[in-house]
Amino acid sequence: MLDNSNYTEETKPLFKLFKTEAFRFVVVRYNHYSFVQQLQKDLKTRFSDRPCHIANAKDIDYTQLMKDYLGLGRGFFILEGFDDVLKEDKVDKNSRPEVAANNYRRKDITIGLNLRRDKLAQHPIALIVCVPASADALYAKIMIKKMPDLWSFRSWMLDIEGEISQELVKNPFNTEGVSSLPKEAIEIESDADFLTQKQKELTRLRASLANTPDNEIEYRLTLYPQVVDVEIEIGDYQSALDTLDAWETVAFEDNKDEIWLKKGDVLTTIGKIEQALLLFEKAKDAYTKADNKENLAVSLSRIGNTHAALGNLDKALQFYEDYSKLEKQLYESYPNNVSFKNGLAISYQYLGYTHAALGNLDKALQFYEDDAELTKQLYESYPNNVEFKNNLAISYSKLGETHAALGNLDKALQFYEDDAELTKQLYESYPNNVEFKNNLAISYSKLGSTHAALGNLDKALQFYEDYSKLEKQLYESYPNNVEFKNGLAISYAKLGVFSRDAIKDKTKARLYFKQAETLWLELVRDAPQYVEFQKFLGMVQEILKDL
């Protein structure tokens, strides 16, 4: 299990950014390879319709890299070991020819990527380069120097850290230690209808705007925000920016702050964070001058999010504290306002994320508890609100993870049980929602691990079996989804570890490990680009040899 990890906080804004398919250049620094594996897993699960190619910078040249990148078409291109291409080995008269050749290979990659940045940017692919913490401390400076043009396209930079507990060493198939935030509850079947409906709405609004005379400013000002909102909903962010620019030219001065916030949000989504920060600060100054506390709080949260994304956690914490202070004032002045109450809960969640990222687990726990208390009140007041219910499940899961990291297994178990209960209700209410079903499976896996750690072997076995049952159903319903197939293999491997170590039944353990091996053999055959499958296959085959 990965302890004291900031994975969730670091990746939350990244996953939001990836909702729109576009070129991104993302740099990921990590202190343990399991974070890279978890990121790969989350990308494949959250964006299962997009292809994902994984390569190692140590084993590829520029020609092959571009061939693979352009052949991908869309999705995610993950380049591991990128620190290798930033190096340059010393060459002298005694050096082997291979040393100089390797230096040229490295240089070809950095120069080539830099020169072809416009070509790269023509494809809706996220180029994710991974750098271990053991790399040169000045790796970012070196990257800027070697690839200044590509660096200017950088959408995001993550710095993921966490402690690795002995459990991960003992059980290599334990992948739930680093958990990302649950995905949005979206019914897959409705996507096409949604887009068709929104496109029709956008066509109508644009026609109304085009047919409205320029002198009818008041009516045009009601159309611009509607057009922008739909353009954002369908992911046409460049059109949204163009519309916002047009809107700003005719807007009254005291209404431009709304435009700056919206424009900042769009720029954040497409990765232009520094530009967004300037607009958020501009809006903050306007709201401060107008003594508009509600919108000032919104602008402070945006600035906090931006600093967090830029890695300025101390600055982010300062703005989140100011944001929370204002939300608390608003809620105390208007205790019946659901929006203010929810805003305060969200501010506590942000403070929890930031303190956890800074390593202040006790403080993080306090804010998560405050968040859970308010979210629980909201859910109890509005039990049919799916958002509040799912948010409460998230709160319980975060509390469980934090208590587990602090060694409070009994408390962690209680929160995992509360999370599982709510998620089960969501799944039963929306049985066609594969995300709720997958979240429920994951909650069972956490319960199984916690019961096993507490010595409750019968319960642990039951949850592992329930976990495997759900993963099997998901796989059988979506046999082409490699992530569900991999999830089923992991569930078999966990049952194998449990049978071997907890109940000392080698026959049953061998059966589970063989089932896992069969699935991973198929995955390695059908999806050889996934390094994770090859590693798991190697592990389970070694275990079978020992058995």
Side-chain angles (χ1 to χ4, degrees):
M1 182 176 294
L2 295 165
D3 298 326
N4 303 343
S5 162
N6 67 343
Y7 176 87
T8 298
E9 294 72 33
E10 284 288 301
T11 56
K12 180 182 178 182
L14 181 69
F15 294 145
K16 182 178 180 181
L17 182 73
F18 283 164
K19 286 182 181 179
T20 303
E21 289 192 80
F23 173 74
R24 318 282 187 195
F25 178 47
V26 178
V27 182
V28 179
R29 180 182 177 275
Y30 61 94
N31 76 330
H32 194 272
Y33 182 70
S34 58
F35 288 121
V36 177
Q37 293 176 309
Q38 185 66 35
L39 178 61
Q40 293 168 2
K41 174 176 178 167
D42 284 348
L43 289 175
K44 295 170 199 172
T45 303
R46 288 171 174 268
F47 310 98
S48 57
D49 62 321
R50 302 185 202 175
C52 181
H53 181 82
I54 303 168
N56 196 310
K58 298 178 182 179
D59 306 320
I60 196 170
D61 60 23
Y62 173 70
T63 301
Q64 187 62 49
L65 191 158
M66 287 302 296
K67 181 181 179 181
D68 293 343
Y69 180 94
L70 297 176
L72 189 63
R74 57 189 284 265
F76 305 97
F77 190 102
I78 302 175
L79 198 54
E80 297 181 359
F82 196 75
D83 57 310
D84 179 76
V85 303
L86 303 177
K87 301 175 183 176
E88 185 172 354
D89 294 329
K90 183 178 179 181
V91 177
D92 56 32
K93 62 181 181 180
N94 298 318
S95 300
R96 291 175 300 170
E98 294 85 359
V99 176
N102 195 35
N103 281 342
Y104 282 121
R105 180 191 65 84
R106 293 162 167 167
K107 191 176 294 184
D108 281 347
I109 291 176
T110 56
I111 293 176
L113 289 176
N114 191 62
L115 291 176
R116 300 293 298 279
R117 67 161 196 174
D118 292 330
K119 181 71 173 178
L120 297 171
Q122 292 174 8
H123 301 270
I125 298 174
L127 175 58
I128 304 172
V129 299
C130 304
V131 180
S134 58
D136 191 316
L138 299 178
Y139 79 94
K141 184 176 180 180
I142 297 171
M143 200 179 296
I144 294 172
K145 182 179 179 181
K146 289 180 178 287
M147 302 185 300
D149 295 330
L150 183 60
W151 183 264
S152 67
F153 269 37
R154 180 173 55 84
S155 299
W156 219 264
M157 191 170 186
L158 289 78
D159 195 352
I160 307 174
E161 295 180 316
E163 300 173 10
I164 309 303
S165 74
Q166 291 303 308
E167 182 182 343
L168 183 62
V169 178
K170 295 176 181 176
N171 184 0
F173 304 105
N174 185 7
T175 59
E176 82 264 13
V178 179
S179 61
S180 53
L181 290 174
K183 292 160 278 187
E184 290 79 359
I186 300 175
E187 292 289 346
I188 294 176
E189 295 79 5
S190 66
D191 286 352
D193 293 338
F194 170 83
L195 287 174
T196 301
Q197 179 185 352
K198 289 299 178 180
Q199 286 286 4
K200 289 181 179 179
E201 183 181 354
L202 182 58
T203 300
R204 177 184 62 79
L205 288 168
R206 284 175 173 171
S208 296
L209 187 58
N211 295 328
T212 301
D214 291 344
N215 60 346
E216 295 185 18
I217 295 177
E218 295 289 349
Y219 183 58
R220 292 179 68 85
L221 289 175
T222 66
L223 291 172
Y224 280 118
Q226 296 180 66
V227 173
V228 169
D229 287 345
V230 179
E231 287 170 337
I232 292 173
E233 283 186 88
I234 66 173
D236 190 353
Y237 295 111
Q238 187 54 56
S239 293
L241 288 172
D242 293 340
T243 304
L244 283 162
D245 287 339
W247 178 11
E248 187 174 358
T249 60
V250 298
F252 301 116
E253 284 300 319
D254 56 352
N255 291 329
K256 289 187 176 181
D257 40 33
E258 174 190 357
I259 300 171
W260 298 333
L261 277 182
K262 279 185 176 289
K263 193 181 292 185
D265 287 342
V266 177
L267 288 169
T268 297
T269 302
I270 63 176
K272 298 182 178 180
I273 310 173
E274 292 85 356
Q275 294 180 35
L277 181 59
L278 294 176
L279 289 168
F280 292 147
E281 289 174 339
K282 197 173 179 180
K284 176 183 73 70
D285 292 341
Y287 292 136
T288 301
K289 185 177 180 180
D291 195 26
N292 186 331
K293 291 184 177 180
E294 182 176 356
N295 286 333
L296 176 59
V298 173
S299 66
L300 288 171
S301 72
R302 298 292 205 283
I303 295 173
N305 291 343
T306 309
H307 278 299
L310 291 169
N312 308 324
L313 290 180
D314 289 330
K315 284 188 177 180
L317 181 60
Q318 176 188 336
F319 283 104
Y320 285 148
E321 287 173 343
D322 292 342
Y323 162 48
S324 187
K325 181 179 178 180
L326 271 181
E327 289 290 358
K328 187 174 183 179
Q329 291 176 6
L330 287 166
Y331 172 55
E332 289 177 345
S333 298
Y334 305 93
N336 295 323
N337 187 305
V338 175
S339 178
F340 292 158
K341 189 171 188 175
N342 192 44
L344 180 58
I346 292 171
S347 76
Y348 289 153
Q349 192 178 92
Y350 286 163
L351 286 169
Y353 291 157
T354 312
H355 277 295
L358 289 168
N360 308 325
L361 283 182
D362 289 334
K363 287 187 177 181
L365 180 61
Q366 182 59 60
F367 284 116
Y368 284 142
E369 288 174 342
D370 293 341
D371 167 35
E373 181 181 353
L374 289 179
T375 306
K376 184 178 180 181
Q377 293 173 10
L378 285 166
Y379 169 58
E380 289 175 345
S381 298
Y382 303 91
N384 295 321
N385 187 305
V386 175
E387 179 186 357
F388 292 157
K389 190 170 189 173
N390 194 44
N391 284 347
L392 184 56
I394 293 171
S395 298
Y396 288 152
S397 179
K398 297 304 296 181
L399 284 168
E401 290 172 9
T402 310
H403 277 295
L406 289 168
N408 308 325
L409 290 181
D410 288 330
K411 288 187 177 180
L413 178 62
Q414 181 59 59
F415 285 116
Y416 284 147
E417 287 174 341
D418 293 340
D419 167 31
E421 177 61 29
L422 288 178
T423 307
K424 183 179 180 182
Q425 292 174 14
L426 285 167
Y427 167 57
E428 290 175 346
S429 299
Y430 303 91
N432 294 324
N433 189 305
V434 295
E435 304 305 339
F436 289 155
K437 189 170 188 174
N438 195 45
N439 287 343
L440 181 59
I442 292 170
S443 73
Y444 286 158
S445 177
K446 291 181 179 180
L447 284 167
S449 297
T450 310
H451 275 297
L454 288 168
N456 306 326
L457 300 187
D458 290 339
K459 289 185 177 180
L461 178 60
Q462 183 62 59
F463 281 116
Y464 279 142
E465 289 176 341
D466 291 342
Y467 166 46
S468 187
K469 180 180 178 181
L470 287 178
E471 290 290 356
K472 186 177 182 181
Q473 291 174 5
L474 285 165
Y475 166 58
E476 290 177 346
S477 298
Y478 303 91
N480 295 322
N481 187 312
V482 296
E483 200 57 45
F484 292 154
K485 191 171 187 175
N486 185 50
L488 179 57
I490 291 173
S491 74
Y492 287 146
K494 286 193 172 189
L495 282 165
V497 171
F498 182 84
S499 299
R500 181 194 64 185
D501 299 341
I503 61 177
K504 311 299 182 183
D505 188 335
K506 287 188 176 183
T507 301
K508 186 173 288 186
R510 189 179 294 108
L511 175 63
Y512 284 127
F513 284 130
K514 287 295 292 184
Q515 288 177 301
E517 181 191 33
T518 299
L519 291 173
W520 275 321
L521 280 168
E522 294 174 0
L523 284 165
V524 169
R525 179 198 65 200
D526 299 334
Q529 69 273 26
Y530 291 106
V531 178
E532 178 187 42
F533 302 156
Q534 296 174 1
K535 291 183 178 180
F536 282 166
L537 176 61
M539 289 178 185
V540 78
Q541 288 177 335
E542 285 298 318
I543 291 173
L544 283 167
K545 285 181 184 178
D546 293 337
L547 287 174

